[in-house]
Amino acid sequence: MPLCRFWQLGYTRLFCYERTDNDLKNRTVIGVICAVLAVVLMFAVSPLINKLTAGKVEIVRLAKDIPQGRPITEQDVVTVTVGGYNLPQSIVKDKAAVIGKYAACDLKKDDYLLPSKISATADKADNVFRTLNGSEQAISIPIANLAAGLSGKLKNGDIVTVIAQDKDGTTYIPPELKYVKVITTTTSNGYDKDQLTPNEDGTTDLPSTVTLLANSTQAQLLAGYNKIHLALVYRGEEKTADQFLNKQKEIFK
């Protein structure tokens, strides 16, 4: 065999041997990498996936937008099933816990509900203001003295009777103002009573005005009296308070 041919064959065998050794090394490296990835998948990724897919729970979600102060109805919410991983512990899971309650802030469709977003009452002034639709108005009248405003003890949602005094000193109860709802009472600094914090000496500022819910006729009457005293008629459940207001509405029919 010619020497050149023998040299070519030997070179080819040598090259093949070197290529085979490199392949083995590459396969070993790939195998080690795969083993590491398998360990990471087993101890890190798999538990996370299990947490995300396990522990399904039913929660309450909003089906539509609800403005602040509006009551939540059956049609406003739906029950959906979601993964329980990383959900707040206080998230609402029962429709009965929210139906009939009020939106404590503006709520948006598909929001999850938390206790901080709902309220058992809608007696904050801003809640009432947001429900005004033109048929009723909010009007503030001055409190002449401590006694005229029930000694500073009026609360949001109270039902009061207005005792009016004309310029000649005559006092009477106008039939149009027998039952009126208190929206809020406000100090001379513009703070509502439910926003006040005690002073350093433990006292609180007294209100100087009271804001009432009234129709246009009632508002005109309230603006025209010389002095006004307020007598508390009812404080308690909104359902009972509405009964007094419905009686008042009969006067205007």
Side-chain angles (χ1 to χ4, degrees):
M1 178 182 294
L3 179 60
C4 60
R5 179 62 176 166
F6 176 80
W7 179 85
Q8 288 176 351
L9 290 174
Y11 177 78
T12 302
R13 291 191 184 95
L14 178 62
F15 177 75
C16 292
Y17 293 153
E18 290 178 350
R19 186 174 64 180
T20 302
D21 291 342
N22 289 335
D23 287 345
L24 291 174
K25 291 179 181 179
N26 291 338
R27 290 174 182 174
T28 301
V29 172
I30 293 173
V32 172
I33 293 174
C34 291
V36 172
L37 290 176
V39 173
V40 172
L41 183 64
M42 179 182 300
F43 292 101
V45 180
S46 293
L48 179 60
I49 295 175
N50 291 336
K51 287 183 179 180
L52 291 173
T53 57
K56 297 289 185 179
V57 295
E58 286 191 349
I59 64 170
V60 176
R61 191 166 67 187
L62 289 167
K64 60 181 70 174
D65 293 351
I66 303 177
Q68 179 182 343
R70 210 203 77 183
I72 301 173
T73 66
E74 176 82 25
Q75 292 72 33
D76 294 328
V77 292
V78 293
T79 301
V80 296
T81 301
V82 298
Y85 177 70
N86 212 28
L87 284 178
Q89 292 185 351
S90 60
I91 196 167
V92 177
K93 301 176 182 177
D94 185 3
K95 282 186 178 182
V98 299
I99 294 175
K101 303 292 180 63
Y102 298 86
C105 58
D106 287 338
L107 302 176
K108 298 299 181 181
K109 182 181 178 181
D110 295 332
D111 274 354
Y112 298 153
L113 283 173
L114 299 172
S116 59
K117 295 182 179 181
I118 57 178
S119 173
T121 61
D123 58 2
K124 290 185 178 180
D126 192 49
N127 290 342
V128 180
F129 293 157
R130 288 173 179 267
T131 62
L132 297 176
N133 56 13
S135 62
E136 293 179 309
Q137 306 165 8
I139 179 171
S140 293
I141 57 175
I143 299 174
N145 50 53
L146 183 64
L150 202 70
S151 302
K153 292 180 172 58
L154 287 175
K155 292 185 177 182
N156 298 6
D158 283 349
I159 304 299
V160 297
T161 290
V162 175
I163 304 173
Q165 182 179 15
D166 286 338
K167 293 180 180 180
D168 60 2
T170 304
T171 59
Y172 62 99
I173 297 175
E176 298 89 348
L177 298 170
K178 189 174 182 180
Y179 303 123
V180 185
K181 182 178 181 177
V182 174
I183 297 177
T184 189
T185 56
T186 309
T187 68
S188 58
N189 295 324
Y191 291 101
D192 291 345
K193 183 177 180 180
D194 59 359
Q195 299 175 329
L196 292 178
T197 55
N199 300 319
E200 293 182 358
D201 58 1
T203 62
T204 54
D205 296 334
L206 292 172
S208 60
T209 65
V210 58
T211 302
L212 302 174
L213 185 65
N215 60 32
S216 58
T217 301
Q218 292 172 317
Q220 288 179 340
L221 290 173
L222 289 167
Y225 294 128
N226 186 40
K227 289 183 180 180
I228 288 176
H229 275 68
L230 299 175
L232 180 64
V233 175
Y234 178 77
R235 173 183 294 167
E237 294 182 356
E238 185 176 10
K239 184 177 180 180
T240 304
D242 287 342
Q243 293 177 3
F244 286 98
L245 297 178
N246 290 334
K247 288 182 180 179
Q248 182 64 79
K249 291 177 181 179
E250 293 294 328
I251 298 294
F252 299 96
K253 292 182 180 180

